[in-house]
Every structure is written in structure tokens, then in C-alpha cells.
Amino acid sequence: MSAVSESVRHPADPCVAGRGAHSVMSQKVAVLGAGKIGEALLSGMIRGGRHPSHLLVTARREERARELHVRYGVECVSNAEAAKNADTLILTVKPQDMGVLLDQLAPHVPADRLVVSGAAGTPTAYIEEQLTRGTPVVRVMTNTPALVDQGMSAISAGTHATESHLQRAEEIFGGVGKTLRVPESQQDAATALSGSGPAYFFYLVEAMTDAGILLSLPRDKAHELIVQAAVGASQMLRDSGEHPVTLRENVTSPGGTTINAIRELENHGVRAAFLAAIEAARDRSRELGAPDGT
């Protein structure tokens, strides 16, 4: 197993786009169980220059398969055909469906296939046990901002995955955002923070919108004010290099409106609630990876 160091990759990372990129782009990739995230990956790979003829897709419903074929020009196949013909298999099914999918794939996956799993809580060891000995498996947890090319994907190597396998996964997921290598032992934490993270922000915006309505603002105006504040704040966090405490203090004047709001948030235990919530998400990710998945 290769050492997995923590590193962030951008879509234009020279380690992905440099020497060997042509051969990687000509390899066949199959997306199995193409829901929203699977479709985002398909779209991102095509925008990144991969020809639709090098992409395969599987879907549970025939009408969904037809929809993807018409929209992207990709070939829709069975899971077995994908396993036989693709160089990389991306499994985007729900954790509770992974066992059935692996049963279908096992007779057809040779040991030189790269298998990329996006299922929360499912360890690479479980997938390796179901497939041919020596099959390289990479575990990835991405999130829904991949739909707008702003995803964050945490990537971990299984026992047999090499540096080239990790780079291949980075090339695919880098097309819809950023990638970060983490040890697999940190994947449940990454799921709780990043995989589930967008929902926390949506929840916060929902609550702030309700507050705006309480303060007599029309819903559409409250929504626009809050969303732009969120966009601006996130860009400052990303681009300024400042610690979030510093950025918050820059808004918090002595005796002003913001410090009164912060006091109420602290009085209501909002910080503690977030800590508990993210711990609960981490614990659920671990439970999903348990043998019975409960």
C-alpha cells in the first residue's frame, strides 16, 4: 500500500494534467448507479475533455438510462458489461445497495480494474473481500456542490491502490471541484464534515430566512440578502487566508449588533449543538459501514 499524504488537488493540478494525461483520458470509465452525483461526474468528465465514447453508465430504471444517453451521448449498459469493459468503475449507489451490486460485479471484475466507491461508511476492505484478490479500491466521499463544480472530495487508498490509482481518482473527481487525500481512518470524519456539510449551511440559511421574515422582510428579499452574505463570506474564507475567528472579529464591533447576536448564539449552545451534530453524523457513517448496516 502506498503512503497516503494529505494534499489538496485542483482540477488543473499538473500531477493530473501532465504526462500520461492522454492515456488516462482514453481509458473507459463506468459510473454505476448514476444518480445526481453520478451524473455530475459524467458531466464533469465530458467538460474536462473525456469523449462520451469512453464513458459507460448503468442505471436501475430504463427511463433514467435513456435520459442519460440522450443528454450526454454515453452508452448505457448492465453492471456486468460495465465491469467487463471499463478500466475504472465508479460505484455511486447507496451503502445499503452496495452488497447487491458487488454480488453482480464479482464474477466479472478482473484484478486490474480500479474500483472507486462513493458509498458513505463502506470501507475499502469490505469491497476488496467481495472482489478478485488484489483489486485496487479507492474510497471517495464527495458532496452535492459537485453539481456546480464546487465539490470537495476526500480520497483514500485501499490496500492495493497505488499512486497512479489515486491520481486517476483525482483526475475524475477534480473535474467537479477539489480533492483532498486523507487516511481511510479519517473518512467517517470527512463524511460528517464535508459530505453532509452542505446540508448544515442550507439549514442555517433556512433559519436565517425565517428570522428575516420575523423581522418583517419579504421572503425573497431575506433570501437574497442571506445568500449573498453566505457567498461573500465563503469567498473571504477561501481567499483571504485569515482564520475564521479573525474574520468574525472584523465584523464584531464593541457594543454593536453582531456581538449581541453572537452572545445569543452562545447562550443557546449553537457551537455545542454543531459539535454534537457532526459527531452524530460521524457515528452514523461508522454504523453504515458495520456488517449489518444498521
Side-chain angles (χ1 to χ4, degrees):
M1 178 178 174
S2 61
V4 182
S5 59
E6 293 190 5
S7 58
V8 176
R9 306 280 186 178
H10 297 259
D13 195 304
C15 290
V16 172
R19 187 172 59 187
H22 177 74
S23 60
V24 170
M25 293 295 283
S26 65
Q27 293 177 342
K28 281 205 170 185
V29 177
V31 178
L32 285 71
K36 289 186 180 297
I37 293 295
E39 182 175 359
L41 291 173
L42 279 176
S43 178
M45 285 187 281
I46 291 171
R47 289 194 305 277
R50 194 180 296 270
H51 196 274
S53 64
H54 296 147
L55 295 169
L56 303 173
V57 65
T58 77
R60 181 177 295 178
R61 295 180 293 109
E62 186 176 339
E63 58 269 29
R64 173 63 171 165
R66 285 198 302 268
E67 176 186 320
L68 293 170
H69 172 70
V70 170
R71 187 173 296 166
Y72 301 105
V74 296
E75 184 180 0
C76 300
V77 299
S78 68
N79 291 328
E81 289 174 305
K84 292 174 185 176
N85 296 303
D87 300 287
T88 301
L89 304 174
I90 305 176
L91 316 184
T92 63
V93 299
K94 297 182 186 302
Q96 57 267 33
D97 297 327
M98 183 62 76
V100 173
L101 177 60
L102 291 174
D103 285 343
Q104 295 173 355
L105 296 178
H108 309 289
V109 178
D112 63 349
R113 294 288 186 268
L114 170 60
V115 176
V116 179
S117 168
T122 305
T124 57
Y126 170 76
I127 298 172
E128 290 166 352
E129 288 170 3
Q130 313 305 312
L131 301 176
T132 304
R133 180 182 293 273
T135 300
V137 179
V138 171
R139 179 174 169 183
V140 180
M141 174 47 61
T142 192
N143 57 18
T144 56
L147 296 166
V148 292
D149 291 347
Q150 293 296 325
M152 186 71 233
S153 301
I155 297 180
S156 303
T159 304
H160 310 293
T162 65
E163 174 65 22
S164 65
H165 294 129
L166 288 168
Q167 287 188 11
R168 203 188 309 177
E170 287 170 338
E171 181 266 324
I172 292 168
F173 284 85
V176 291
K178 295 183 179 181
T179 65
L180 176 70
R181 293 189 192 183
V182 300
E184 188 170 9
S185 61
Q186 296 176 1
Q187 271 285 356
D188 293 317
T191 297
L193 281 173
S194 181
S196 300
Y200 312 149
F201 289 100
F202 299 147
Y203 183 85
L204 181 59
V205 168
E206 178 187 357
M208 292 175 70
T209 301
D210 287 344
I213 295 168
L214 180 67
L215 300 178
S216 302
L217 283 168
R219 177 177 292 276
D220 60 338
K221 287 184 169 56
H223 180 77
E224 185 172 356
L225 287 167
I226 295 159
V227 169
Q228 185 55 35
V231 170
S234 65
Q235 187 163 336
M236 290 177 71
L237 280 167
R238 185 185 63 187
D239 298 341
S240 70
E242 298 284 357
H243 193 281
V245 170
T246 301
L247 294 173
R248 178 180 60 76
E249 288 178 344
N250 290 342
V251 188
T252 311
S253 303
T257 59
T258 306
I259 190 60
N260 276 274
I262 296 296
R263 180 188 63 186
E264 288 302 311
L265 291 172
E266 294 292 355
N267 286 343
H268 285 81
V270 171
R271 186 187 302 266
F274 266 105
L275 291 172
I278 293 170
E279 266 194 323
R282 187 275 315 274
D283 293 345
R284 181 54 180 158
S285 181
R286 287 177 175 172
E287 290 170 359
L288 289 170
D292 58 1
T294 59

